[in-house]
Amino acid sequence: MHSAAKPSPRARNGKRTVPGLRPYPATIGLTVDRSLEVIPDEALLGCLLTLADPEVDGDVLALRLLAAHGSLEEAVAAASVGNLPGGVASDGHAVVRFQAVVELAARLVRPSLERHPVFVAHDSLVAYSRLRAACSTVQALRLLFLDDRRHLIADEIHQTGTFGDVAIYVREIMGRALQMEAHGLVIVHSGPDDDPPNPAGARTSCADIQQAGKFLGVELVEYLLVGRRSYCTLIQEPADARVGRRPSPVASDSGPSPDRKR
């Protein structure tokens, strides 16, 4: 049956199209007084692609990017590390614009962690950790420093590793926590694969950091292993069990447990 859908303006103007893909008119009808909540993912992604490179047909490339990665989240993450469909200029400007989108999203989540204990805002913690890892093509170890109420006060990349695991040095981690005058600590070990990294000795490192924190007054509140599609934690006590518990600078005696994937 012949489609009654109108082609996009760029398709009508002779821009290259992809056979078998119907261009979506991403920018038609978008005005400042119309909520963007109503437009579908391919239209929003098409707008971003057009902003990234005005010379391309963003409608078609959005469909191609979604078809390759399956969801808006995965498409934006892929674009932020340079996995853009053919036709986009390779000067890096498009990648930077997508990285800016991810950075903006992370900064919008961060205030929740600054206002609430991280085990209360655990979903925000996971979202923030995944956003911070989204633009990385290597494994990374990130430290999130918490005050005595377990609110986020600072975070930074501690180590990166191009191949294999990142090195975990308990003395350096705890030393940095003391320099930051932190009472609590979250460790996020992220990787560029869909599944969380499975570093050798992670449980031992988790236990060592917990033990060191008991003597130094720095509680290891969470230890996350984060991938692009899922994550797991090495801390035994579930986050929801800590809600309402008065924050203490001393960690519990419990050691790490088998990974609980979320």
Side-chain angles (χ1 to χ4, degrees):
M1 179 180 296
H2 178 71
S3 173
K6 295 180 180 180
S8 70
R10 287 185 292 281
R12 289 201 303 270
N13 290 336
K15 292 286 185 176
R16 184 176 59 179
T17 60
V18 179
L21 291 180
R22 178 178 64 83
Y24 190 93
T27 56
I28 291 178
L30 294 185
T31 61
V32 294
D33 58 348
R34 182 187 178 194
S35 174
L36 294 183
E37 293 181 15
V38 301
I39 69 172
D41 288 351
E42 60 266 29
L44 182 59
L45 187 57
C47 290
L48 293 175
L49 284 162
T50 303
L51 290 172
D53 187 348
E55 296 302 316
V56 304
D57 191 331
D59 305 335
V60 170
L61 295 183
L63 291 173
R64 182 187 289 172
L65 198 57
L66 284 169
H69 299 283
S71 70
L72 181 63
E73 177 189 12
E74 296 297 326
V76 171
S80 71
V81 295
N83 295 329
L84 286 161
V88 179
S90 58
D91 56 9
H93 287 254
V95 174
V96 170
R97 283 167 171 78
F98 275 93
Q99 289 178 347
V101 170
V102 176
E103 177 64 22
L104 174 62
R107 294 191 187 193
L108 291 175
V109 174
R110 180 180 173 124
S112 177
L113 303 176
E114 295 173 334
R115 293 193 296 261
H116 306 287
V118 295
F119 44 77
V120 174
H122 197 264
D123 289 344
S124 295
L125 171 64
V126 173
Y128 181 78
S129 300
R130 294 183 65 192
L131 285 165
R132 282 295 180 211
C135 297
S136 177
T137 58
V138 299
Q139 288 198 26
L141 196 73
R142 178 175 291 272
L143 305 180
L144 279 65
F145 304 103
L146 314 176
D147 63 15
D148 58 347
R149 297 179 297 167
R150 305 308 183 260
H151 296 185
L152 179 66
I153 54 176
D155 72 289
E156 60 186 27
I157 290 289
H158 182 67
Q159 297 282 351
T160 60
T162 305
F163 301 102
D165 295 344
V166 293
I168 300 176
Y169 302 108
V170 177
R171 180 176 296 180
E172 291 185 9
I173 291 173
M174 300 310 299
R176 184 59 179 155
L178 292 176
Q179 288 177 353
M180 298 297 293
E181 299 182 350
H183 291 260
L185 179 67
V186 173
I187 296 178
V188 180
H189 186 164
S190 63
D193 298 325
D194 289 344
D195 295 325
N198 187 23
R203 293 182 180 83
T204 300
S205 298
C206 180
D208 291 344
I209 293 170
Q210 284 181 314
Q211 187 66 24
K214 291 173 63 176
F215 293 101
L216 299 174
V218 181
E219 180 187 10
L220 179 60
V221 176
E222 184 62 281
Y223 193 129
L224 294 176
L225 303 177
V226 177
R228 291 199 182 278
R229 293 181 181 267
S230 60
Y231 78 95
C232 59
T233 175
L234 297 180
I235 299 297
Q236 180 177 14
E237 186 179 15
D240 54 9
R242 303 180 231 176
V243 177
R245 190 186 75 187
R246 185 177 184 274
S248 168
V250 179
S252 66
D253 291 332
S254 59
S257 66
D259 300 353
R260 299 192 312 278
K261 286 193 176 183
R262 306 292 176 91

